[in-house]
Amino acid sequence: MRQLGINLNHWYVVAQSKELGTQPLAVNLWHQPIVLYRDRTGTPIAVEDRCPHRQVKLSEGTVEGNNIACAYHGWQFAPDGSCAHVPYLEPQQKLPTCQLRQYPVQERDGFIWLFSGEAALADQVDPMGVPEWEHLNFIGSLTTIDVQAHYSFLIENLMDMYHGHLHGGAQVWANPVLVELAADETHVHAHYDAESYYRIDKIWSASQLVIPALRQLHPEPLDVYYYYPHWRSTLGDDFVIYCLFCPVSETHTRAYLLHFTSLERFPKLHKTPLAMRRFVKRAFTNSASFVLRRLVREDVLMLEQEQQAFEQHPTYRGPELNRALTAVQQLIGQQAEGSGGVGE
């Protein structure tokens, strides 16, 4: 389990849209160095991060129109990966026929999504999507996760609603009880009866983040989903949380953690001018990021200890009492096997 590859025939998130500006951006998805850049129209392009001339990184170069130019000798490569220009090409010489691998890529909901499997399958699979990103009735906060551990440790942590003891006062819910579990070859859904510390129904509700005395436990359904390879959860009608994965290697995982607070309980909000609603969304974006960063720090500490323990005792298998995690492990195994060896 802790050494399984990923099924590359899915869309993975490799960057935020705002991270990809006018310069090339180096990313790495499961041992594949990839360079992202934008063409003249701003459309993202993804090719392998390797100049076939001298094997140096194209991400060290520059963008020239629709092409990416190598920093070493200035060779340029077109969006389809073909060699488009060599500055010192002599009249009797032809452009080299070397070809970079091109990756299907799309920009959606504030992120750059990349398909690194069989390109012909890209149109048959949809990215997970984050509709709340642009929706005016949801206030979003975001942080990154960078952990030196296999991705299975992180997804198990996200599906495990029983580790709230770790987070103390930063925990959003309490007293979860697993009451329903559904799973197939593409997803796991765990439904918990739980209680929430927060109720978002007053204009001053956000103050509960910093004034614990204002929090009052009340029953709320808690649902967590592993839509391979990403994660989503909902707590009642007030909160939606995502974790968008970019596994780097067997011992390194990157991901984006997103938290959305719903404003649906404020009916008068719909009568407010759009300009004001956009202002409110911008003003409160990332208002919960300090809480997310604390949660991530605490979880990363545990996950890296799990990875280190596995490396020291790779044959040890501890007892697992959470049925949701057993289902997650089965799904990871099925996806790795179903990839036909891709990513392993």
Side-chain angles (χ1 to χ4, degrees), residues 285-300:
T285 291
N286 282 327
S287 56
S289 60
F290 71 98
V291 177
L292 294 184
R293 289 194 295 268
R294 170 183 166 175
L295 296 174
V296 168
R297 284 195 303 270
E298 294 168 347
D299 282 334
V300 164

Side-chain angles (χ1 to χ4, degrees), residues 249-262:
S249 70
E250 290 83 356
T251 58
H252 185 191
T253 304
R254 292 190 72 254
Y256 292 91
L257 184 65
L258 297 83
H259 177 283
F260 293 98
T261 301
S262 172

Side-chain angles (χ1 to χ4, degrees), residues 161-162 173-178 192-195 222:
M161 298 297 102
Y162 296 131
W173 61 83
N175 306 318
V177 177
L178 180 62
Y192 294 81
D193 285 341
E195 294 180 294
L222 175 60

